[in-house]
């Protein structure tokens, strides 16, 4: 069994409404000193040993991330 | 400047519709061997040095995560 962790984040300069909203809400709650807050996706995948990092990259490009506005990073857990 | 990374994931046993949908879609695209796929949130926060990990924990409990159905893990980058 292989485990992958995938981090999907908005590209530099792409507006992140969820992150901005959370940042404003924290500000309204009285938390000071937050300069920037971005919200992306954290994907955990368990799969057969046969699934290569190349295959996972392809899955990200085709389905899990939107390559036009998002970057992704793949980590193999315990590799 | 401090940087935190926060991973928000569904608790064990909580249904994850987004993850299940992505898993089915990958299956339909012909990718085999995926046993489990979960989608959570990946939050990146830049803040002043004065913001402690305790404060970030409080932010997660109050706003960034839903403690009833989600777990979270906080990492200080470069700490």
């Amino acid at each position: 069994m292989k485990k992958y962790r995938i981090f999907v984040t908005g590209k530099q300069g792409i507006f992140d409404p969820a992150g901005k909203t959370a940042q404003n809400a924290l500000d309204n709650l009285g938390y000071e000193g937050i300069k920037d807050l971005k919200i992306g996706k954290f994907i955990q995948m368990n799969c057969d040993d046969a699934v290569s990092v190349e295959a996972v990259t392809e899955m990200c490009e085709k389905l899990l991330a939107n390559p036009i506005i998002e970057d992704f990073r793949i980590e193999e857990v315990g590799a």
Side-chain angles (χ1 to χ4, degrees), chain A:
Chain A
M1 182 83 91
K2 263 187 183 173
K3 283 183 185 208
Y4 290 103
R5 305 201 300 177
I6 304 159
F7 305 88
V8 182
T9 51
K11 278 190 199 285
Q12 192 75 29
I14 297 287
F15 183 57
D16 169 20
K20 193 67 193 157
T21 305
Q23 190 179 345
N24 290 343
L26 287 172
D27 200 55
N28 290 339
L29 285 173
Y31 293 105
E32 286 174 357
I34 299 169
K35 298 298 179 198
D36 190 43
L37 193 151
K38 288 202 185 324
I39 301 185
K41 279 186 287 183
F42 174 53
I43 303 172
Q44 293 168 290
M45 188 191 285
N46 294 337
C47 51
D48 289 341
D49 288 337
V51 178
S52 66
V53 70
E54 287 76 21
V56 178
T57 305
E58 214 181 275
M59 292 177 210
C60 287
E61 286 165 352
K62 283 195 185 166
L63 187 96
L64 298 173
N66 178 350
I68 298 169
I69 57 166
E70 291 173 324
D71 291 319
F72 60 87
R73 190 164 60 79
I74 299 166
E75 234 174 47
E76 191 178 335
V77 182

